[in-house]
Amino acid sequence: MTASVLLAGCDTDQVSLATNAKANQPVPPKLLAAMVEKNMDLQSPILVRLFKQEAELEVWKQTRNGQFALLKTYPICRWSGDLGPKVREGDRQAPEGFYSINPGQMNPQSAYYLSFNTGYPNAFDKALGRTGSQLMVHGDCSSRGCYAMTDEQIAEIYSLGRESFFGGQKAFQLQAYPFKMTPVNMARHRNNPNMPFWKMIKEGYDHFEVTRQEPKVDFCERKYVFDAAKPPDAKRDPVFDASAKCPAYVIPDDIVAAVREKQQQDEAAYAKLVAKGTPVARMNTGIDGGMNKIFAAKIPEGSTGLSEGAEGTTLQMLAMAKAPGTIPGHVNPPKPNLDSVASAPAPQEEPVVAVSAPAANTRVANAAPAEKSGFFSNLGRKMGMGSAETTATTPPPQATASVAPATTSTTPATAASRLKAAVTRFVPGHDKSRDAAKDAPKSAVAAKPVEPTKPDTRLAATRPALKPSVSDGAGEATQIMGAAPVVSSNSFESRFGAVK
């Protein structure tokens, strides 16, 4: 309700989206320079594409020739669920499909620095009876059905959307995909039960690829329709209803021809890949979502989950790269899938962690928020009521780190070692642990106990109001390697009390 009041009347250039400083940060100078280089205006329309498998968010912007060009690609810090569309409330799925973002969906008062609502469910989702609410793109790098960026990243994306509204764009399009809709990816996932849905939204992907124009999206007969226009003999535009029969419509001939040519090329490449035995993507049961490699490389026990990076790029190579924004202490990587890893013929990448940390400090994305002992909370639990679906914020209590005992050597003792042991036993003040460390193999890494840190009891409102832009070099010294997670004192419900 607060967000609705603040954003009322935001359809004009004269009205600011919000009065707070976070929502009105200027577009960074590096992005402005990129716009000049690519023949773009600051307030020209934008379009956003999301890819789960690649864990990337693309911002496209209209150039002065009327077509869209890629302005910047942002690595996604965290997304949850599996590849595939969101179906019901509580399934932890991040949505897939085409959505429209208007000024009223921009939330400057978000508990996650800044955010905008994806608009799920759209008319297609509702026609299929799909449920869910408050599915966002936001900061804080924590996701429970959302697409989470760093605070610095969402500040840039938010500023680009704000300027496009000031320029007259009524709403920008959000396209969310399981992966880049290439023949290779379609072949790898050919046995996935979501393939009919993916082929349907690939139609819109292809329309954008060949025209570089935002495709017009309609729904009828519980399916997507792209770039529909009225027939030549019609007197008015067709009226679409997602649950009703499709009206008479046509698609412009130039778009039809270009899309058909692209699809023929894609289908030929797909057939060759299947014929030569391209392996089907391994099921990833037990993993919740994904994380771009550049973030996973900087988190103890980091894992990319369902995400995949560029070929040849490993976590080791990215360990020294600059993080695109502040990685909060509470961020958790996707859960490792031990069953599928054990059954795999060979690992694609050896997981290497820059800084070791005990497993007790690792938090999982589906951890339930801390229970409250209030009357309404107890009553709700007795009635089987759960918390609202948004992004999980309250971690489980942090366990005290323990150090596993060192593995004993099976090498037979020599006379020298027995003599040394005797000396150690009878010489006062002799440091046996130092000798043990000296005798240990050089390749072994001694486990270092991690002292439990005191939880940070500050509320989200006490966080810094502004953070440097990603384009201006933020993140160089924002990651404390091996730091224990900061436990938020406020609950999941309180952070999503009125607005998110």
Side-chain angles (χ1 to χ4, degrees):
M1 292 176 61
T2 304
S4 300
V5 173
L6 285 172
L7 297 174
C10 287
D11 291 336
T12 65
D13 294 344
Q14 279 70 32
V15 181
S16 174
L17 281 171
T19 58
N20 68 66
K22 290 185 295 183
N24 287 295
Q25 294 180 69
V27 176
K30 287 187 178 180
L31 272 184
L32 293 174
M35 293 178 198
V36 173
E37 180 182 349
K38 297 181 180 184
N39 197 31
M40 301 170 178
D41 293 319
L42 172 62
Q43 295 185 342
S44 66
I46 67 167
L47 181 146
V48 174
R49 299 202 302 181
L50 289 160
F51 302 98
K52 289 182 177 177
Q53 180 175 280
E54 292 81 5
E56 291 180 349
L57 182 151
E58 297 177 345
V59 175
W60 293 69
K61 197 164 180 62
Q62 193 176 63
T63 62
R64 292 189 179 98
N65 65 10
Q67 290 185 314
F68 281 82
L70 180 61
L71 175 61
K72 186 172 180 178
T73 300
Y74 297 85
I76 297 175
C77 195
R78 194 73 170 87
W79 61 273
S80 61
D82 200 347
L83 300 182
K86 183 172 185 62
V87 176
R88 63 185 180 277
E89 185 93 27
D91 62 5
R92 299 184 61 83
Q93 284 292 104
E96 293 176 7
F98 287 71
Y99 300 90
S100 181
I101 316 300
N102 61 49
Q105 292 164 245
M106 307 290 281
N107 185 6
Q109 305 294 337
S110 173
Y112 292 90
Y113 199 73
L114 291 168
S115 66
F116 61 84
N117 194 315
T118 62
Y120 176 93
N122 61 18
F124 168 81
D125 301 318
K126 293 176 182 177
L128 294 179
R130 295 176 175 175
T131 58
S133 59
Q134 299 298 309
L135 281 303
M136 305 278 186
V137 177
H138 59 68
D140 204 45
C141 194
S142 177
S143 175
R144 189 184 177 189
C146 300
Y147 293 96
M149 319 300 292
T150 64
D151 292 354
E152 292 86 351
Q153 287 176 317
I154 193 63
E156 279 194 17
I157 299 166
Y158 194 98
S159 70
L160 292 171
R162 179 197 67 220
E163 293 300 325
S164 73
F165 294 142
F166 289 165
Q169 187 175 21
K170 298 298 182 183
F172 65 84
Q173 191 173 92
L174 174 73
Q175 305 176 6
Y177 300 100
F179 41 71
K180 294 186 177 180
M181 312 300 274
T182 62
V184 173
N185 283 332
M186 299 297 282
R188 291 184 63 237
H189 296 278
R190 59 187 179 274
N191 291 343
N192 194 295
N194 292 301
M195 186 52 69
F197 170 73
W198 291 342
K199 287 182 177 179
M200 181 172 59
I201 62 174
K202 182 181 182 295
E203 186 84 15
Y205 178 94
D206 292 340
H207 276 235
F208 179 72
E209 286 290 309
V210 301
T211 66
R212 288 292 188 259
Q213 298 281 356
E214 177 183 305
K216 178 177 175 287
V217 181
D218 290 296
F219 312 98
C220 61
E221 298 179 7
R222 298 182 179 180
K223 66 179 182 181
Y224 279 84
V225 177
F226 299 99
D227 290 321
K230 65 181 180 181
D233 56 347
K235 296 182 179 179
R236 62 177 184 176
D237 292 331
V239 178
F240 288 87
D241 186 324
S243 301
K245 183 179 178 180
C246 292
Y249 69 88
V250 296
I251 300 175
D253 292 340
D254 55 341
I255 297 179
V256 171
V259 170
R260 183 188 299 117
E261 181 181 357
K262 180 184 184 303
Q263 291 179 343
Q264 289 174 348
Q265 295 173 353
D266 288 349
E267 289 168 3
Y270 171 89
K272 289 181 181 179
L273 290 166
V274 174
K276 75 175 186 179
T278 297
V280 177
R282 188 174 67 226
M283 297 302 293
N284 291 282
T285 305
I287 293 180
D288 177 26
M291 166 179 285
N292 192 280
K293 281 189 175 184
I294 195 167
F295 295 109
K298 299 182 179 303
I299 299 174
E301 301 184 10
S303 171
T304 58
L306 298 176
S307 300
E308 296 180 358
E311 292 293 330
T313 304
T314 64
L315 295 184
Q316 301 99 306
M317 296 170 61
L318 293 171
M320 301 304 293
K322 183 178 66 175
T326 303
I327 304 177
H330 61 74
V331 66
N332 57 284
K335 295 182 295 183
N337 182 7
L338 301 179
D339 293 337
S340 64
V341 171
S343 62
Q348 297 180 352
E349 173 184 299
E350 180 183 359
V352 176
V353 182
V355 178
S356 61
N361 281 344
T362 302
R363 306 183 312 150
V364 295
N366 62 351
E371 295 186 357
K372 295 182 178 180
S373 57
F375 170 77
F376 290 103
S377 298
N378 293 332
L379 179 62
R381 284 195 296 273
K382 291 179 181 179
M383 298 179 63
M385 297 173 62
S387 59
E389 176 183 7
T390 38
T391 299
T393 60
T394 305
Q398 211 164 298
T400 303
S402 60
V403 180
T407 305
T408 56
S409 174
T410 58
T411 306
T414 63
S417 64
R418 287 195 296 270
L419 177 60
K420 185 174 183 180
V423 172
T424 300
R425 191 179 306 114
F426 292 105
V427 175
H430 188 83
D431 190 348
K432 292 182 284 185
S433 61
R434 183 170 53 191
D435 288 341
K438 186 184 302 181
D439 295 336
K442 293 183 179 180
S443 59
V445 179
K448 182 180 179 180
V450 179
E451 295 181 3
T453 59
K454 295 182 179 179
D456 189 350
T457 59
R458 295 174 297 175
L459 298 178
T462 63
R463 298 167 63 188
L466 297 177
K467 296 194 177 182
S469 165
V470 179
S471 296
D472 293 335
E476 294 183 23
T478 55
Q479 169 69 11
I480 302 176
M481 303 304 294
V486 178
V487 181
S488 176
S489 62
N490 51 344
S491 67
F492 165 76
E493 289 86 357
S494 67
R495 294 188 73 177
F496 281 85
V499 293
K500 177 168 178 284

